[in-house]
Each structure stands twice: as C-alpha cells, then as structure tokens.
Amino acid sequence: MLILGIESSCDESAAAVVKDGREVLSNYLHSQIEDHKDWGGVIPEFASRLHYKKINKVIEKTLSDVNLSISDIDAIAVTHGPGLIGSLLVGMNVAKTLAWVHNKPLIPVNHLMGHICANFLDSDIEPPFICLLASGGHTQVVKVNKYNDMEIVGETIDDAAGEAFDKVARLLDLPYPGGPELDKLAQNFNFSESVYKGKYKFPIPKVKELNFSFSGLKTSVLRMKEKLDEAEWEENKAEIAFAFQDCVAQVLKRKIETAIEDTGIKQIIIAGGVAANSRIRKTFNEINIKIVMPSLKYCTDNAAMIGSAGHYKYLSSEDKEIYYNYGFEAFSKLITSSLG
Ligand code: KG4
Ligand code: ZN
C-alpha cells in the first residue's frame, strides 16, 4: 500500500511516499528556517503563507522524484494537529482536495503519533514498547500497546524539553532553531563520562511519577547567567550548554527507566525533535535493553512519519469507507486517535 504523507504543522512543508508503513520511497521537505531566522522563532501567520506558496510544489517534487503520480497512490495521510492552526489548514485543505478529486481515502493523523511511527521507518520494531516523545511543544512518556492503542503515562507539567532547549539557547545567544545550535555548541566541550558532575552541574528537578518539569531548569540557567561574571559566562558557554543538556538527558533517562520497571515492557523508542540530541542519544544507548531511535532526519518534522502513522491507522480501522467521506462532520469524527 502506497501512502502520500503531508505535513505542515509548523515550519516545514513536507511530503513523502511510504510503502506499507515502513519503506520510504520518497521524502522531501521545504524548511522555513531561513525565513523565520531574523525573528528568532516561527511567526505563525508568515508560516501559513509560506506553506500556501510551497506545498503544491513539495508534493509534486516528492512524487516526480520517484516517477509516481497521484493515481499510483492508495491513500493520503495528513497531519490534523497539534500545531499552528493556519499551517495545519493549508496541509489539510490540499490533502482533502487531492483525496476528493482523485477519489482516495483521506487519513487524518495526529502529529505526535507520527513522531512515534518515525521509528518504524528504519527498524523492524513492533509494539508493545515505551516511547519517550520529546518535541518542541510536548514531552510525554507513551505506552504503545498496539499500533492503534497508545496511552500517555507521563508528561510535562510546564515547559516541554524542546521549549527548554530553545529558551536556554536564547540565553546563550544562539540563533533559532535553538535546540540543534545548543547541541552543536555543547559538542565543543569534550566529555566522555556518562554523567556530568562538574562545576556547572544543574540539579535534577524532582517531579512525581512519570511526569516532567523543565521550567525550573531553564530558570537555573538564567540565575547562573546572572550570577557569573560576564567573562566566565562567555568563556564557559560550551560547558554550560553541555551541563544543561546532560541534566535533560539524565531526567529523561530516569523517567524511562521507571516506566520500564512499572510496566515490565522491555523495548523503548525515542521520538520527536529532541530525540536528535547527541547527548540524549548517547545517554539512552546506555540503558540496558532494546532501544530504537529514528535517524536524525526522521526525528524532526517530516512527512514520512505521517505516511507511516496513516498506514497503521487505516490498517487497524474496521470501517475503511469512512475515509472516503470528506465532509466537515465526517472529517471531524475521524480526528480521533489514541493521542487525542
Ligand atoms: O519534533 P519537532 O521537529 O517539532 C515539533 O513537533 O515541535 O521538534 C522541534 C524541537 C525544537 O524545540 C528544537 O529545538 C528541538 O526539537 N531539537 C533539538 C535538536 N534538534 C531539534 N533539541 C536538542 N538537540 C537537537 N539536536
Ligand atoms: Zn514535530
């Protein structure tokens, strides 16, 4: 089964063709990073307009790269949320129109479920597993029982991990997008041990059960910046970035270890933009059970993950006819996945 995935929830206009939920035939995206850079973050209205300009070309290129046309596609999967509303509407309207004109099933996909399914693109892992999902707006521990049965068992009570990366990057005077820039800076600090215990160590936030909090950690970095004299701050930015990054990695690892103990599930995956972080990947590799991580291009937003999630949503649905009904009410009803 060939699925055309379409993703436009934030600052990437993306399309991909995915075969049987696992094999990426084509994957293309247009990033808006350069367009938002001068403002230090994504401007929602501007993002929607850029999606509107680019999305058709992105879809055409994705198909033509592998000599396919829309008639070769079996179904269209599109991100319905969460994300920037104007940006989502562009992708959803293009997908709805294509599906209606070409009489294809239209599968609305939850963006977070897409991130989880990114793990199916370069591995043969199958549920059940525990997922650490960390993106710009969400940090969750998700228990994935089956392809269509996912439960959030822990989440952040304030900032998401990605949000903390972006805010701390700003304190370090790094450009947007902050997370990957902070990761790059931290790599200038040479460190090979498994836990940072140096001079700039940040305290691990204490939060109950499988929940997280990153707001206090971000404030600790701010307080450190206020306390240190300017020269010391400037000279040690790489180590401070590393210490922050290591603290986030330790927090995430501890919660996942607790989730493994609580559930008895013996496989873990990580997903979302923050899963691209080099320190987090290294720290998670030290956990002594089977772990799968998407390759870097499938951690951050892309449409291949949406194609995969669409495949499993469609496959596990008893009534496939519902995907041919593109009216407002019918489409709204379809927007129910285990992750809401
Ligand atoms: O999943 P994603 O691409 O978009 C959302 O759905 O939000 O995640 C974006 C987040 C941003 O906060 C970005 O700074 C962070 O992921 N991120 C990283 C890295 N790459 C992206 N954070 C830390 N290290 C990275 N290498
Ligand atoms: Zn995302």
Side-chain angles (χ1 to χ4, degrees):
M1 182 174 179
L2 289 190
I3 298 206
L4 172 67
I6 298 174
E7 154 65 37
S8 68
S9 65
C10 190
D11 55 352
E12 257 104 27
S13 315
V17 179
V18 179
K19 189 177 172 193
D20 299 332
R22 300 254 173 184
E23 190 185 343
V24 183
L25 301 189
S26 180
N27 183 36
Y28 182 71
L29 64 78
H30 172 263
S31 165
Q32 302 177 357
I33 286 179
E34 288 306 316
D35 302 290
H36 296 290
K37 217 167 198 154
D38 289 350
W39 285 272
V42 181
I43 308 292
E45 174 65 16
F46 191 28
S48 331
R49 285 167 191 264
L50 291 168
H51 283 301
Y52 172 71
K53 268 195 188 164
K54 291 284 177 191
I55 194 82
N56 283 334
K57 288 193 184 110
V58 166
I59 294 170
E60 271 168 31
K61 173 138 177 57
T62 303
L63 291 169
S64 64
D65 274 355
V66 283
N67 294 322
L68 290 172
S69 76
I70 195 84
S71 55
D72 301 311
I73 297 295
D74 298 302
I76 297 169
V78 62
T79 307
H80 70 72
L84 303 174
I85 192 71
S87 297
L88 288 163
L89 281 171
V90 175
M92 278 169 61
N93 279 298
V94 170
K96 269 186 169 188
T97 310
L98 282 174
W100 180 62
V101 169
H102 296 276
N103 193 33
K104 306 283 179 193
L106 175 65
I107 312 156
V109 167
N110 178 294
H111 180 80
L112 303 177
M113 188 173 167
H115 274 303
I116 294 173
C117 292
N119 282 278
F120 299 139
L121 301 172
D122 356 72
S123 85
D124 55 7
I125 192 161
E126 293 193 15
F129 49 73
I130 297 289
C131 173
L132 168 76
L133 174 59
S135 67
H138 295 81
T139 305
Q140 299 176 338
V141 181
V142 183
K143 185 167 165 256
V144 180
N145 303 313
K146 296 184 194 148
Y147 287 105
N148 64 339
D149 176 7
M150 306 186 183
E151 259 174 89
I152 298 165
V153 292
E155 60 192 325
T156 181
I157 57 169
D158 43 52
D159 290 359
E163 203 176 339
F165 266 100
D166 296 335
K167 288 176 178 168
V168 169
R170 241 176 258 169
L171 294 176
L172 291 160
D173 302 314
L174 296 169
Y176 156 84
E181 290 291 332
L182 193 153
D183 192 357
K184 250 190 261 166
L185 172 67
Q187 284 176 38
N188 295 333
F189 177 67
N190 245 335
F191 190 85
S192 58
E193 286 161 50
S194 60
V195 183
Y196 173 81
K197 293 187 185 127
K199 194 171 165 197
Y200 301 110
K201 187 171 173 59
F202 295 102
I204 300 261
K206 288 193 179 68
V207 188
K208 281 193 184 141
E209 291 155 2
L210 294 173
N211 296 326
F212 305 95
S213 163
F214 293 103
S215 165
L217 174 58
K218 167 200 71 192
T219 309
S220 303
V221 184
L222 174 65
R223 295 284 169 264
M224 185 179 280
K225 184 175 181 177
E226 289 166 348
K227 216 173 79 193
L228 295 181
D229 71 57
E230 208 180 320
E232 182 176 2
W233 172 264
E234 288 300 326
E235 276 162 30
N236 294 287
K237 272 181 173 172
E239 182 170 348
I240 293 164
F242 185 90
F244 162 77
Q245 199 171 265
D246 185 63
C247 183
V248 176
Q250 300 307 328
V251 169
L252 298 176
K253 182 181 168 215
R254 285 186 191 187
K255 292 290 176 178
I256 286 299
E257 284 172 338
T258 310
I260 297 164
E261 272 169 37
D262 287 359
T263 62
I265 293 177
K266 295 273 180 290
Q267 312 190 88
I268 46 178
I269 65 163
I270 61 174
V274 178
N277 183 267
S278 58
R279 184 71 187 165
I280 292 172
R281 292 173 86 88
K282 185 172 182 296
T283 304
F284 269 70
N285 266 324
E286 288 165 6
I287 303 177
N288 214 2
I289 63 170
K290 175 169 175 167
I291 170 148
V292 168
M293 307 179 187
S295 55
L296 296 187
K297 67 176 184 285
Y298 297 140
C299 286
T300 46
D301 290 350
N302 66 88
M305 66 186 199
I306 303 302
S308 174
H311 175 88
Y312 288 108
K313 184 166 179 178
Y314 186 73
L315 215 68
S316 50
S317 159
E318 280 166 23
D319 179 9
K320 308 236 176 340
E321 278 308 303
I322 54 170
Y323 295 104
Y324 285 92
N325 194 339
Y326 321 115
F328 172 74
E329 208 183 320
F331 197 76
S332 312
K333 277 190 196 145
L334 279 178
I335 299 179
T336 47
S337 77
S338 3
L339 291 177

